[in-house]
Amino acid sequence: MDTVTRPRILVVGAGFAGVECVRRLERRLAPDEADVTLVTPFSYQLYLPLLPQVASGVLTPQSVAVSLRRSKRYRTRIIPGGAIGVDLKSKVCVVRTITDQIVNEPYDYIVLAPGSITRTFDIPGLTEHAYGLKTLAEAAYIRDHVISQLDLADASDDPAERASRLQFVVVGAGYAGTETAACLQKLTHAAVRRYPRLDPGLIRWHLIDIAPKLMPELGDKLGRSAQEILRRRGIEVSLGVSIAKAGPEEVTFTDGRVVPTRTLIWTAGVVASPLIATLGAETVRGRLAVNAEMCLPGHDGVFALGDAAAVPDEVKGEEGAVCPPTAQHAMRQGTHVADNVVATLRNRPMTPYAHKDLGLVVDLGGTDAVSKPLGIELHGLPAQFAARGYHWWALRTNVAKVRVATNWTLNAIAGDDFVRTGFQARKPARLKDFEFTDAYMTPDQVRAHVEGADRGEV
């Protein structure tokens, strides 16, 4: 008797793009039409835009980690690990599981949505001494670290140590960096009331960026408004400035200033996951070059989207324009790729992706916010309602929405207890310790590994 095998669809990454793709496939495909597998280290979707509020304690980590196992149509097989290489010729994805086992996962169709990693530069001491804010663990770790600096400064009798522990530097004045500086400044401003031995005037926050403007996507007017809010709250904003070198107790700016600090938070942009480089395919500034249907030209059954793909921006209409790496585009690309995969399975034509940007919302903590939904400029409470309303709506499950709304309410009413959870109890972890960028293979290593597995050598 002949055995009929169902097509194997492999989705890499459980960010906005990957999860939306999987959920759409589960809704549109009959159970016997295809097998769907998802590769991800964690069985949750991280709502990345709210990480600054996790770092500042407004939200709990669990509230922004949306479970993948709550779907009513849940039937996707999850491989707990990370993809470290793809052999397009053999149609095999190499996966390192969370127990460090290397497995080969064959596929008929692959959807590459591995997302991005923190962009770093060759700055002395950067990866050894800076903290990132790209993962849930980093957000929880930074909260512990900031509170521990207050604890240690309060206990110290050394004025120089106090000064260095109470200065904080955030690099990157884009969406993530601006919100991070604003939310964490709120945390330290509120916490210092519980430390009678500390002079509030010693607490200083620095937000720096090599760019000439703060969040240029907002436009000049709202960008200046956001900058004024930050400066009014005591955050020193320095534009046209970056880091020359970083040490354990001080940071040197490119304008020559030396700031004594034990806290350097690096949020200066992202780059595509190193997985893309293992394919040996054409890229655009590190992102995989795909067509408007989000297919990889010359390779049947290969789709890519989200931060890792240079998806043509059909709405902008400019030659060479690609969609920005935002959650807004990633969610819609995930749904669209799923529809194109289904269309391919059913021998129907695919459709190009097009979406008009809905705008940007920026929550600066408390009642401070600036937003530009649908091109309408807002600030203050209206902007805050727009920002939190959009994030609340975008959360995928009702459970997550209830948790987030409850956290916002409790924090507004009762404030924070400034409790450390113990991440500082052992060896400190920095930027280089969280994203495992050294785990990926080269294209030659991928090919050798797959060929060796075919011969039974690995």
Side-chain angles (χ1 to χ4, degrees), residues 52 55 77 84 91 157 166 170 182 258 260 271 294 307 382 384 423 426 428-429 434:
R77 170 182 167 235
I84 59 173
K91 290 198 168 187
D157 292 321
L166 296 178
V170 179
V258 178
V271 294
M294 290 173 281
D307 292 7
Q384 184 67 281
F423 283 100
R426 293 183 178 272
F434 280 102

Side-chain angles (χ1 to χ4, degrees), residues 5-26:
T5 58
R6 292 188 290 268
R8 298 163 298 185
I9 302 172
L10 182 66
V11 180
V12 176
F16 289 105
V19 170
E20 290 298 322
C21 179
V22 166
R23 291 299 174 246
R24 184 76 161 189
L25 290 172
E26 288 180 332

Side-chain angles (χ1 to χ4, degrees), residues 401-424:
K401 291 179 179 180
V402 171
R403 283 183 178 141
V404 166
T406 302
N407 284 176
W408 279 336
T409 303
L410 284 175
N411 186 266
I413 295 173
D416 196 333
D417 285 331
F418 313 107
V419 173
R420 287 186 286 121
T421 55
F423 283 100
Q424 289 286 309

Side-chain angles (χ1 to χ4, degrees), residues 41-42 82-84 96 98 100 117 135 137-138 273-275 430-441:
F42 309 105
I84 59 173
R96 185 189 299 273
I98 57 175
D100 282 335
I117 62 171
T135 67
E138 284 176 309
S273 165
L275 177 68
R430 300 297 194 271
L431 191 62
K432 65 184 179 67
D433 300 310
F434 280 102
E435 298 190 42
F436 308 104
T437 54
D438 58 347
Y440 295 88
M441 295 180 169

Side-chain angles (χ1 to χ4, degrees), residues 18-212:
V19 170
E20 290 298 322
C21 179
V22 166
R23 291 299 174 246
R24 184 76 161 189
L25 290 172
E26 288 180 332
R27 288 193 296 270
R28 293 208 56 195
L29 292 174
D32 59 350
E33 198 171 357
D35 291 328
V36 181
T37 301
L38 175 65
V39 177
T40 174
F42 309 105
S43 59
Y44 63 76
Q45 176 194 11
L46 176 62
Y47 193 83
L48 200 64
L50 290 177
L51 275 188
Q53 295 191 38
V54 173
S56 63
V58 174
L59 299 175
T60 62
Q62 187 181 14
S63 63
V64 300
V66 185
S67 173
L68 300 180
R69 302 187 185 276
R70 279 191 172 271
S71 171
K72 294 179 180 178
R73 295 179 177 86
Y74 173 73
R75 64 173 185 271
T76 298
R77 170 182 167 235
I78 296 179
I79 300 178
I84 59 173
V86 178
D87 188 331
L88 296 174
K89 183 179 178 181
S90 299
K91 290 198 168 187
V92 171
C93 180
V94 184
V95 179
R96 185 189 299 273
T97 70
I98 57 175
T99 57
D100 282 335
Q101 180 184 3
I102 306 297
V103 298
N104 291 346
E105 187 64 26
Y107 63 84
D108 298 300
Y109 301 89
I110 188 169
V111 178
L112 296 168
S116 56
I117 62 171
T118 302
R119 179 181 61 181
T120 58
F121 299 98
D122 189 19
I123 298 173
L126 177 62
T127 58
E128 292 80 11
H129 301 294
Y131 301 93
L133 191 63
K134 195 74 173 63
T135 67
L136 192 60
E138 284 176 309
Y141 190 93
I142 284 176
R143 172 176 165 79
D144 265 20
H145 171 77
V146 170
I147 295 174
S148 74
Q149 298 312 297
L150 298 177
D151 288 344
L152 291 166
D154 183 64
S156 176
D157 292 321
D158 182 351
E161 180 185 355
R162 278 193 170 190
S164 67
R165 293 196 183 279
L166 296 178
Q167 291 207 71
F168 306 87
V169 178
V170 179
V171 182
Y175 174 90
T178 301
E179 282 206 334
T180 298
C183 291
L184 286 173
Q185 186 273 339
K186 278 281 187 183
L187 167 68
T188 55
H189 179 74
V192 76
R193 301 171 189 170
R194 313 283 182 89
Y195 296 85
R197 296 181 70 245
L198 293 182
D199 177 4
L202 292 177
I203 299 179
R204 297 180 62 188
W205 281 87
H206 303 264
L207 175 62
I208 71 172
D209 199 306
I210 197 65

